Amino acid sequence: MSTIGFIGLGIMGGPMAANLVAAGHTVLGYDTRQEAAERLVSAGGAYAGSAAAAAAADVVITMLPDSPQVEQVVLGPDGVLEHAKPGLLLVDMSTIRPDTSVAIAAAARERGVRALDAPVSGGERGAIDGVLSIMVGGDPEAFEAARPVFEVLGATIVHVGPSGAGQTVKAANQLVVGGTYALVAEAIVLLEASGVDPGPALDVLAGGLAGSRILELKRKSMVARDFTPGFRIDLHHKDMGIALAAAREAGVALPMTGLTAQLIAAARANGYGPLDHSVLLQVLENLSGKAAS
Amino acid sequence: MSTIGFIGLGIMGGPMAANLVAAGHTVLGYDTRQEAAERLVSAGGAYAGSAAAAAAADVVITMLPDSPQVEQVVLGPDGVLEHAKPGLLLVDMSTIRPDTSVAIAAAARERGVRALDAPVSGGERGAIDGVLSIMVGGDPEAFEAARPVFEVLGATIVHVGPSGAGQTVKAANQLVVGGTYALVAEAIVLLEASGVDPGPALDVLAGGLAGSRILELKRKSMVARDFTPGFRIDLHHKDMGIALAAAREAGVALPMTGLTAQLIAAARANGYGPLDHSVLLQVLENLSGKAAS
Amino acid sequence: MSTIGFIGLGIMGGPMAANLVAAGHTVLGYDTRQEAAERLVSAGGAYAGSAAAAAAADVVITMLPDSPQVEQVVLGPDGVLEHAKPGLLLVDMSTIRPDTSVAIAAAARERGVRALDAPVSGGERGAIDGVLSIMVGGDPEAFEAARPVFEVLGATIVHVGPSGAGQTVKAANQLVVGGTYALVAEAIVLLEASGVDPGPALDVLAGGLAGSRILELKRKSMVARDFTPGFRIDLHHKDMGIALAAAREAGVALPMTGLTAQLIAAARANGYGPLDHSVLLQVLENLSGKAAS
Amino acid sequence: MSTIGFIGLGIMGGPMAANLVAAGHTVLGYDTRQEAAERLVSAGGAYAGSAAAAAAADVVITMLPDSPQVEQVVLGPDGVLEHAKPGLLLVDMSTIRPDTSVAIAAAARERGVRALDAPVSGGERGAIDGVLSIMVGGDPEAFEAARPVFEVLGATIVHVGPSGAGQTVKAANQLVVGGTYALVAEAIVLLEASGVDPGPALDVLAGGLAGSRILELKRKSMVARDFTPGFRIDLHHKDMGIALAAAREAGVALPMTGLTAQLIAAARANGYGPLDHSVLLQVLENLSGKAAS
């Protein structure tokens, strides 16, 4: 069992760190919010007074909101790299821009630190149950070294390529998810405006080539206009920004993704940021002037 | 067992009519193409020399390319309604505009004919194997009367609402399918341009919230650029026209559908009309100037 | 001076027919609405009791809402072609699908009738003042024959190609106009949401490469949320349908046009159909959850 | 006449600095490229060995590629603010993100420096001729203080609001320009594919409500497929990134802008980066599989 520094103990990081404690690892956690740190301590972890202190571990996991926070914690003054011991395994599980992950891996290499980008999907529920999907970019050896840790946290663990590849796959995932919600929303808007009961209609769609995990899991809640998160629009809005930045970096044009990003931006602009991303249905209803049901 | 007139013995209608013969029905088939009629005869059916002759049956099924053909065969001079006996059950299984189905049902009612719109999904394979999905609009009694026939042809048979509802559900199905192909294509374009092997990456997507029947069935062929149909762009182009006409009729705005329709139009404009609809990947690669693999 | 049959005496056709009377032509007008016919009579024209009666003239002008009306009046039983004398000059000034114009010209030719498609822009104001822009498709000789009539009605009169070309140019015009409104609307939404006074900002845009007739004529009314028509959304919605049908017919993909069409459809779905097309600003504000000013 | 530090002597900054010299100002120029500095010296300016040295002036103008360069030169170690004397007037004429301009103005204020954001339009030609359009954000007093300098450089000089407003207006300008090019391109694609000569057709459009500066200046070169810059796709691609970032910051959804950004990204992905932005025509032709003319 290794000593694991865990920086970022929020909705996702909190239960992930607790699962590592439960699996027998020594976890040195850090978060700027006192109550997050306290939750870890009551779960059996130890509180590292700073990111630097957490960096003294064999493995450091970061689970932070966005690129700037990761850059600051890892690359900044008194950051992880400054205090890392040689051979440290640095696993960033945040969802950030692929090019930031590449830059971090390069900076880490100079310090003798092995870095992986390992964003996840599966949400709070997946974090609590330890069944996340983990998309990992970086050196295969580093991936193998981190595997025992990943196996505590996730059910699907895939090495998808070199540094940044984990983030690229996450970006691809999010653009497909966001776009699929928008398409299902348009289908519901069309059905209802045509006087067709969406219940049995979506059952048919779910059973054929139009079928998707989203139709399977969310069609009933969408028709009922239950937009309890789940995964919040605010986060998906951030992720669409990453997807478009990744496309820009890769030199490709993604028109469906560009439009999806604007629809998700519209959701946020309407104050739906804290709601589930399936609230795209409400955006598309509003667009056609339909009153919320 | 009933006598069934079957008008339109093409790629879909041919095997459907043959299945009805095999199930013990008397099938009077009609098609303007001699060879299509001959195939039915060799399968054990009878050749009706005209649509009018086929209309003498208890049940008439039409399986035709688009709204104008259905209107002509059903409503035109010497058409089905003109020659129908009272109580005829008219089942249009073509994919046409919902408002055309509504108009046909109204005209049928005046003649004492019960009409259903019953478009299908599942493709040639589903037609041959008798496992189509059938979305039925019209009176519940007429639906029940037609059920024994549907059960020969399909595996999923759902009554989704009044006249036109079957077509609306099919339109909703097709917009979700077309849009999902475009999204998966954009994911592949982003992954490949970022230097990520799409194989394991799409495995991850297929296993999570981004998962869909399309990712399940088509991701390998798409990555291999195998665009053998399957369901042809030409047909999907027609169907997107129907979906947009249905949206116009219903008074709603569907931006993702509007964009998907243009991408499918681009596929056709590039000469990909006879290829599988997954060829949207090629359209999106071309857009970013990537050479076909 | 010729005898001119004028079919369709509405908002546009009424003043156009009156201008022809004022220019010394004998005008035989027809409209299904009694009051429209009466207006023509009080302007000095004569009332033709039917389209057939109006067809007895040397020149027949049609100014009707959409393709089906033109088809009925021209091609239908008791229609213009049935009653036309050989050598009739048939000028359809309605905005309809290019392929309908082509079909009408072909049917006319069989009857020895010379047909032109001659849609206009410039609105009610331009019709009253006789300063319309007229885009003419058809044989050059027929165009020259009709020129004296066009010169009464319009200020810009251009022969743009063979039959249907007039409609295609009108479609191209309408897609650019609709899209430009949407772009200007997005600019205003961005400016206002950023706390920038749109007045001087749009002055800058109007004076540079972003400048357009729309910015010149409409920026003040848009900022003031004065959406008095002008040209109604209902008509622009119809015209976008024509533009997309023309693109489909021509085998091209027009993504910006496809999206513009959905935004205009959204305007209509919100009940803005009777308002000026600049009300796209309200659609885009609604999309971002901004209250109407 | 004041002493002006001028940092960034490229295609735009070079002639602008030369114009200031010609107007009698003492210009201390700086650029990392030796030849750019030499051109200034031969125009009569002085070479400042560093940004810090240029900061010793009464007015400092920056004309740099993008936000990171401006941040480094102004805010970085040994940057302008570190070496500014109190009361310095700092005029950033680069096109960057509005929020970067706001941040720079705030940092400047703390140092007793008055900062303006003053992006321009009008291109290399406008820079050489001193007829740029200048959109200025910042305090009105600072704007008045800078006016004599602006009058050397531009013909249209407008104070559009507080710090960042200049950039927001530039972003609005660029989204309208980019989108209008795409619309005109779609019009040309539709016309040509329909067999209509685009020359007279675009003359009609240019003369009516579809008219724009772009149609006025560029329709002939577009039809001739002459894509000599002018304003390069590479720069417009950068500017669309700024427009979308500004929309994100302002909390609004801009679907037409989002799609335009992807079409411009496609231009770049196809290697058209060094060509004029009117090359969007080529992108839209490619989309429909038309060979370049």
Side-chain angles (χ1 to χ4, degrees):
Chain A
M1 294 296 113
S2 18
T3 300
I4 301 174
F6 203 112
I7 302 170
L9 302 166
I11 289 176
M12 297 293 290
M16 290 164 73
N19 283 338
L20 290 167
V21 171
H25 294 285
T26 301
V27 177
L28 278 170
Y30 177 68
D31 195 292
T32 50
R33 293 157 300 185
Q34 185 63 22
E35 70 279 15
E38 280 167 10
R39 268 197 304 272
L40 177 65
V41 171
S42 53
Y47 177 60
S50 66
D58 307 309
V59 177
V60 169
I61 295 175
T62 46
M63 191 61 175
L64 295 160
D66 207 347
S67 298
Q69 291 84 2
V70 176
E71 284 178 319
Q72 191 203 324
V73 159
V74 174
L75 305 177
D78 251 333
V80 171
L81 286 190
E82 196 174 311
H83 292 273
K85 51 187 184 193
L88 171 70
L89 189 56
L90 171 63
V91 184
D92 178 34
M93 303 189 79
S94 322
T95 294
I96 62 172
R97 292 175 48 151
D99 55 356
T100 305
S101 291
V102 171
I104 283 173
R109 204 170 301 117
E110 288 183 12
R111 291 285 193 147
V113 168
R114 298 167 297 165
L116 295 171
D117 52 295
V120 304
S121 69
E124 186 181 2
R125 193 69 256 159
I128 292 170
D129 297 345
V131 295
L132 295 165
S133 289
I134 310 179
M135 299 148 248
V136 189
D139 288 338
E141 304 88 325
F143 171 70
E144 288 309 327
R147 189 191 284 275
V149 170
F150 290 144
E151 284 177 346
V152 174
L153 303 173
T156 304
I157 299 151
V158 188
H159 182 241
V160 291
S163 290
Q167 299 297 351
T168 302
V169 175
K170 179 71 189 283
N173 190 78
Q174 294 303 79
L175 77 86
V176 172
V177 168
T180 304
Y181 270 118
L183 291 166
V184 169
E186 294 198 359
I188 294 174
V189 166
L190 175 61
L191 290 165
E192 294 190 349
S194 305
V196 177
D197 180 356
L202 294 180
D203 291 349
V204 177
L205 267 62
L209 192 54
S212 61
R213 192 65 50 86
I214 283 169
L215 268 173
E216 183 189 330
L217 299 177
K218 294 288 203 138
R219 70 184 188 270
K220 285 196 198 326
S221 62
M222 287 176 80
V223 169
R225 270 65 177 175
D226 171 7
F227 302 126
T228 316
F231 188 77
R232 288 181 291 118
I233 280 287
D234 279 340
L235 290 169
H236 213 132
H237 181 65
K238 184 203 100 176
D239 290 356
M240 293 309 291
I242 291 170
L244 288 175
R248 184 167 272 261
E249 188 72 19
V252 292
L254 306 182
M256 295 286 283
T257 303
L259 182 53
T260 302
Q262 294 305 316
L263 294 174
I264 291 177
R268 195 156 188 262
N270 277 274
Y272 306 156
L275 299 182
D276 189 66
H277 43 180
S278 56
V279 78
L280 279 178
L281 173 56
Q282 199 60 69
V283 171
L284 285 156
E285 279 198 286
N286 294 348
L287 183 65
S288 287
K290 306 297 175 194
S293 303
Chain B
M1 294 296 113
S2 20
T3 302
I4 300 175
F6 203 112
I7 302 170
L9 301 166
I11 291 177
M12 296 294 289
M16 290 163 73
N19 283 336
L20 289 167
V21 171
H25 294 284
T26 302
V27 176
L28 280 169
Y30 178 67
D31 195 292
T32 52
R33 292 157 300 184
Q34 185 63 24
E35 69 278 16
E38 282 167 9
R39 268 198 304 272
L40 176 64
V41 170
S42 53
Y47 175 61
S50 65
D58 308 310
V59 176
V60 169
I61 295 176
T62 47
M63 191 61 175
L64 295 161
D66 205 347
S67 297
Q69 291 84 4
V70 176
E71 285 179 318
Q72 192 203 322
V73 160
V74 174
L75 305 178
D78 251 334
V80 170
L81 288 191
E82 197 172 312
H83 292 273
K85 51 185 183 194
L88 172 69
L89 188 56
L90 171 62
V91 184
D92 179 34
M93 304 189 77
S94 320
T95 294
I96 63 172
R97 293 174 49 151
D99 54 355
T100 304
S101 291
V102 170
I104 283 173
R109 205 170 302 119
E110 288 184 11
R111 292 283 193 151
V113 168
R114 299 167 294 164
L116 295 170
D117 50 294
V120 304
S121 69
E124 187 181 0
R125 194 70 255 157
I128 293 169
D129 296 344
V131 296
L132 295 165
S133 290
I134 310 179
M135 298 148 248
V136 189
D139 289 338
E141 303 87 324
F143 172 69
E144 288 309 326
R147 190 191 285 276
V149 171
F150 291 145
E151 283 176 349
V152 174
L153 304 172
T156 305
I157 298 151
V158 188
H159 182 243
V160 291
S163 289
Q167 299 297 351
T168 302
V169 174
K170 178 73 189 283
N173 190 78
Q174 294 304 79
L175 78 86
V176 171
V177 168
T180 304
Y181 270 118
L183 290 166
V184 169
E186 294 196 0
I188 294 174
V189 167
L190 175 60
L191 290 164
E192 294 189 350
S194 304
V196 177
D197 179 355
L202 294 180
D203 291 349
V204 177
L205 266 62
L209 191 56
S212 60
R213 192 66 49 85
I214 283 169
L215 269 172
E216 183 189 328
L217 299 177
K218 295 289 203 136
R219 69 184 189 270
K220 286 197 197 328
S221 62
M222 287 176 79
V223 169
R225 270 66 177 175
D226 171 7
F227 302 127
T228 316
F231 188 78
R232 288 181 292 120
I233 280 288
D234 279 339
L235 289 170
H236 214 133
H237 180 64
K238 184 204 98 174
D239 290 356
M240 293 308 290
I242 291 171
L244 288 176
R248 184 168 272 261
E249 187 71 20
V252 293
L254 305 182
M256 296 285 283
T257 304
L259 182 53
T260 301
Q262 294 305 316
L263 295 173
I264 291 176
R268 193 153 189 265
N270 277 273
Y272 305 156
L275 299 181
D276 188 66
H277 42 182
S278 56
V279 78
L280 280 178
L281 173 57
Q282 200 59 70
V283 172
L284 286 155
E285 279 196 287
N286 294 349
L287 184 65
S288 288
K290 307 297 175 195
S293 301
Chain C
M1 294 296 112
S2 19
T3 301
I4 299 175
F6 203 112
I7 302 170
L9 301 166
I11 290 177
M12 296 295 288
M16 291 165 73
N19 283 337
L20 289 168
V21 171
H25 293 284
T26 302
V27 176
L28 278 171
Y30 178 67
D31 196 293
T32 51
R33 292 158 301 184
Q34 185 65 22
E35 69 279 14
E38 281 165 11
R39 268 197 305 271
L40 176 64
V41 170
S42 53
Y47 177 59
S50 66
D58 307 310
V59 177
V60 169
I61 296 176
T62 46
M63 191 61 176
L64 294 161
D66 206 349
S67 297
Q69 290 84 5
V70 176
E71 285 178 317
Q72 192 203 322
V73 160
V74 174
L75 305 176
D78 251 332
V80 171
L81 288 190
E82 197 174 310
H83 292 272
K85 50 186 184 193
L88 172 70
L89 188 57
L90 171 63
V91 184
D92 178 34
M93 304 189 78
S94 322
T95 294
I96 62 171
R97 293 176 46 153
D99 54 357
T100 304
S101 291
V102 170
I104 283 173
R109 203 171 301 118
E110 288 184 12
R111 291 283 193 149
V113 168
R114 299 166 296 163
L116 295 170
D117 51 294
V120 304
S121 69
E124 187 181 1
R125 194 70 256 159
I128 292 170
D129 297 345
V131 296
L132 294 165
S133 292
I134 309 179
M135 299 148 247
V136 190
D139 287 338
E141 302 91 323
F143 172 70
E144 289 309 326
R147 190 191 284 276
V149 170
F150 290 146
E151 283 175 350
V152 175
L153 302 174
T156 304
I157 299 151
V158 189
H159 182 242
V160 293
S163 289
Q167 300 297 351
T168 303
V169 175
K170 178 73 188 284
N173 190 78
Q174 293 304 79
L175 78 85
V176 171
V177 168
T180 304
Y181 271 118
L183 291 166
V184 169
E186 294 197 359
I188 293 174
V189 166
L190 175 61
L191 290 165
E192 294 189 350
S194 305
V196 177
D197 180 354
L202 294 180
D203 291 349
V204 177
L205 266 62
L209 191 55
S212 62
R213 192 65 49 87
I214 283 170
L215 268 172
E216 184 189 328
L217 299 177
K218 294 288 204 141
R219 68 184 190 272
K220 286 197 198 325
S221 63
M222 287 177 80
V223 169
R225 270 65 177 175
D226 172 6
F227 302 126
T228 316
F231 188 78
R232 287 182 292 120
I233 280 288
D234 278 340
L235 290 170
H236 213 133
H237 180 65
K238 183 203 100 176
D239 290 356
M240 294 308 291
I242 291 170
L244 288 176
R248 185 167 272 259
E249 188 70 19
V252 292
L254 305 181
M256 295 285 284
T257 302
L259 182 53
T260 301
Q262 294 305 315
L263 295 173
I264 290 177
R268 193 155 189 264
N270 279 273
Y272 305 157
L275 299 182
D276 189 66
H277 42 182
S278 56
V279 77
L280 280 177
L281 173 55
Q282 200 60 69
V283 171
L284 286 155
E285 279 197 287
N286 293 349
L287 184 65
S288 287
K290 307 298 174 194
S293 302
Chain D
M1 295 295 115
S2 19
T3 303
I4 301 174
F6 203 112
I7 302 170
L9 301 165
I11 289 176
M12 295 295 290
M16 290 164 74
N19 283 339
L20 289 168
V21 170
H25 294 284
T26 304
V27 176
L28 279 171
Y30 177 68
D31 196 292
T32 51
R33 292 156 303 184
Q34 185 62 25
E35 69 280 15
E38 281 166 10
R39 268 198 304 272
L40 176 65
V41 171
S42 53
Y47 177 60
S50 66
D58 307 310
V59 177
V60 169
I61 295 176
T62 46
M63 192 61 175
L64 296 161
D66 205 348
S67 298
Q69 291 84 3
V70 177
E71 285 178 318
Q72 192 203 322
V73 160
V74 174
L75 306 176
D78 251 332
V80 171
L81 287 190
E82 196 174 310
H83 292 273
K85 51 185 182 194
L88 171 69
L89 189 56
L90 171 63
V91 184
D92 177 35
M93 303 189 79
S94 321
T95 294
I96 63 173
R97 292 174 48 151
D99 55 354
T100 305
S101 291
V102 170
I104 283 172
R109 204 169 302 119
E110 288 183 11
R111 290 285 193 152
V113 168
R114 297 167 297 164
L116 295 170
D117 50 295
V120 305
S121 69
E124 185 180 3
R125 194 68 256 158
I128 292 169
D129 297 345
V131 296
L132 295 165
S133 289
I134 310 179
M135 298 148 250
V136 190
D139 289 337
E141 302 90 325
F143 172 69
E144 289 308 326
R147 190 191 284 275
V149 170
F150 289 145
E151 284 175 348
V152 174
L153 302 173
T156 303
I157 298 150
V158 188
H159 181 242
V160 292
S163 291
Q167 299 298 349
T168 303
V169 174
K170 178 73 188 282
N173 190 77
Q174 294 304 80
L175 77 86
V176 171
V177 169
T180 305
Y181 270 118
L183 290 166
V184 169
E186 294 196 0
I188 294 173
V189 167
L190 175 61
L191 290 165
E192 295 189 349
S194 305
V196 178
D197 180 354
L202 294 180
D203 292 348
V204 178
L205 267 62
L209 191 55
S212 62
R213 193 64 50 87
I214 284 169
L215 268 173
E216 184 190 328
L217 299 177
K218 294 289 202 137
R219 69 184 188 271
K220 286 197 197 327
S221 62
M222 287 176 80
V223 169
R225 270 65 177 175
D226 172 6
F227 303 126
T228 317
F231 187 79
R232 288 182 292 118
I233 279 288
D234 279 341
L235 289 170
H236 213 133
H237 180 65
K238 184 204 101 177
D239 290 356
M240 292 311 290
I242 291 170
L244 288 176
R248 183 168 273 262
E249 188 71 19
V252 291
L254 306 182
M256 296 284 284
T257 303
L259 182 54
T260 302
Q262 294 305 315
L263 294 173
I264 291 177
R268 193 155 189 263
N270 278 272
Y272 306 156
L275 299 182
D276 187 67
H277 41 183
S278 56
V279 78
L280 280 177
L281 174 56
Q282 200 60 68
V283 171
L284 285 155
E285 279 197 287
N286 293 349
L287 183 65
S288 288
K290 308 297 173 195
S293 303

